[in-house]
Amino acid sequence: MRSQDYDRLFLSPPHLGRHELNYLHKAIEDNWVAPAGPNLDGFERDICEFTGAQHCVALTSGTAAIHLGLRLLGVGTGDEVLCPSFTFVATANPILYLGATPVFIDSEAETWNICPQRLREALEALRRQNRRPKALILVHLYGMPAQLREVLAVAAEFEVPVLEDAAEALGSRYDGQPLGTFGEVGVFSFNGNKILTTSGGGALVTNNPEWAQKIRFWATQAKDTAPHYQHSELGYNYRLSNLLAGIGRGQMELLEDRVKKRREIFAWYQKHLVDIPGLSFGPTEPAGGRSNRWLTTLLLAPEETSVTPEQLRLHLETHNIESRPLWKPLHRQPLFNATPTYGGEVCEKLFNRGLCLPSGSAMTDADLRRVAEVIKAVF
Ligand SMILES: Cc1ncc(COP(=O)(O)O)c(C=O)c1O
């Protein structure tokens, strides 16, 4: 780390407490450091208790969880999978791992998540060609619940199973129910920048016991029951280690605090920067939705201000403050050139106008004032 990194304000750095150490110590003392052991079982139990899901499998990443979740839903070579364009590439990469093709759907302006009307349009167009997508990936970006009622109704009408990518949305709710539990399969990420972290890690939740068993099997190289190494199916090395699950256990104890803090950070920015013409905060919670406000995100309206998000980002950078553009829509990524897309204007506009601000739950009032002062100075 460079010396100037010590006063750098990062976007969303890890925020550990003291409890993690107890679980780590115990794992080392008891020699449970491989991808099996009491922390792993406990971490999965903690996630089930928090979310209300009946089964959880802890994995090496959220991406691994999406990969196995899609395979579980039967996605394979030549299939189509519906996916929002406005998301991190990790949502869609596993579609390609499985030899399938994404079909991208635009966002709606309130939650910034998948637009139910565009989704219907896509499904109707595909139905006219006698094509039924194998799955829909539903993402809750920046922790914001999607328009769940509407989206789930469309998915049910067209009989498309839902994989819920709640990588950014642990601790968010819809009608009081934790996100990640609305689809056939739900996915969380414990990557270093998430609201809770295991340094790197992920989890898959489901209410189907056979599916959970299958995921465990695939995630440990698909070893058949035999004294020797015998394999009838393709497997992966995707299981989380008992050491990292120990960090996860300690982190889970802090979840409600972390959500509270991130929501306070969002409210603080909003209150202190509300008077700047052309600057607004988003996305907005849908009726019944409560976001964990993983990242605070702002929008700049070019009709009202000549300051661009990139100018603001560079200015923050000169003060050693990290900020980031919103996710670049996947239909604009060279990797997904020529991928079928329904709409696209909404998320392109968001990408052109938005910026993510430092939102780590360890931020102090002085840190927040430092960011706000730099932003005010630009305007
Ligand atoms: C929306 C979204 N989906 C999936 C992932 C993948 O999670 P991981 O980094 O744990 O593989 C991430 C985060 O990185 C994400 O933000």
Side-chain angles (χ1 to χ4, degrees), residues 96-357:
L96 302 188
Y97 300 168
L98 290 161
T101 311
V103 175
F104 291 131
I105 314 286
D106 203 356
S107 302
E108 47 83 21
E110 189 183 9
T111 71
W112 301 1
N113 289 310
I114 198 162
C115 171
Q117 284 81 21
R118 288 286 189 196
L119 178 63
R120 171 177 290 283
E121 211 178 283
L123 281 160
E124 281 172 352
L126 291 168
R127 185 155 68 184
R128 280 194 294 275
Q129 300 161 47
N130 282 329
R131 283 150 60 192
R132 184 152 58 133
K134 252 318 191 329
L136 160 66
I137 307 183
L138 172 58
V139 185
H140 308 289
L141 220 55
Y142 302 115
M144 181 58 64
Q147 305 278 6
L148 271 164
R149 235 177 310 279
E150 293 77 1
V151 174
L152 292 177
V154 176
E157 183 185 330
F158 286 82
E159 297 176 45
V160 180
V162 174
L163 180 147
E164 210 183 337
D165 176 355
E168 302 177 1
L170 181 66
S172 300
R173 293 173 186 271
Y174 187 83
D175 287 345
Q177 183 180 332
L179 298 191
T181 58
F182 287 86
E184 270 75 11
V185 174
V187 165
F188 299 109
S189 166
F190 297 95
N191 189 31
N193 62 355
K194 295 298 184 289
I195 192 159
L196 300 186
T197 185
T198 55
S199 82
L204 181 147
V205 291
T206 175
N207 287 337
N208 184 324
E210 279 141 37
W211 285 5
Q213 203 181 357
K214 196 78 189 178
I215 293 292
R216 282 201 175 86
F217 174 70
W218 284 337
T220 45
Q221 303 288 20
K223 290 191 204 99
D224 293 341
T225 319
H228 53 278
Y229 286 96
Q230 165 109 355
H231 305 274
S232 327
E233 286 187 61
L234 179 64
Y236 311 86
N237 184 5
Y238 276 174
R239 201 76 164 102
L240 190 70
S241 92
N242 189 66
L243 271 181
L244 300 188
I247 302 179
R249 290 212 74 183
Q251 288 270 287
M252 282 302 286
E253 294 180 18
L254 303 163
L255 180 54
E256 294 292 9
D257 273 1
R258 298 301 192 243
V259 173
K260 183 166 169 281
K261 179 67 187 193
R262 298 249 179 184
R263 289 182 61 86
E264 283 167 6
I265 288 170
F266 177 82
W268 193 98
Y269 278 126
Q270 204 171 33
K271 180 170 164 208
H272 290 84
L273 298 172
V274 69
D275 294 333
I276 298 177
L279 187 156
S280 62
F281 289 90
T284 308
E285 288 175 329
R290 188 175 165 84
S291 171
N292 65 9
R293 292 291 181 192
W294 170 54
L295 293 185
T296 291
T297 48
L298 60 75
L299 291 176
L300 298 177
E303 310 81 29
E304 294 174 60
T305 176
S306 59
V307 177
T308 66
E310 183 55 8
Q311 282 170 338
L312 187 55
R313 188 187 73 78
L314 290 172
H315 199 76
L316 287 161
E317 197 54 51
T318 61
H319 289 79
N320 213 7
I321 298 171
E322 185 183 29
S323 63
R324 291 254 181 94
L326 303 188
W327 299 121
K328 180 173 176 178
L330 295 184
H331 72 276
R332 289 283 174 219
Q333 298 285 359
L335 174 65
F336 293 107
N337 213 357
T339 298
T341 305
Y342 288 80
E345 311 76 30
V346 176
C347 60
E348 282 175 30
K349 188 165 148 188
L350 291 169
F351 173 62
N352 290 328
R353 295 178 170 209
L355 198 68
C356 305
L357 296 180

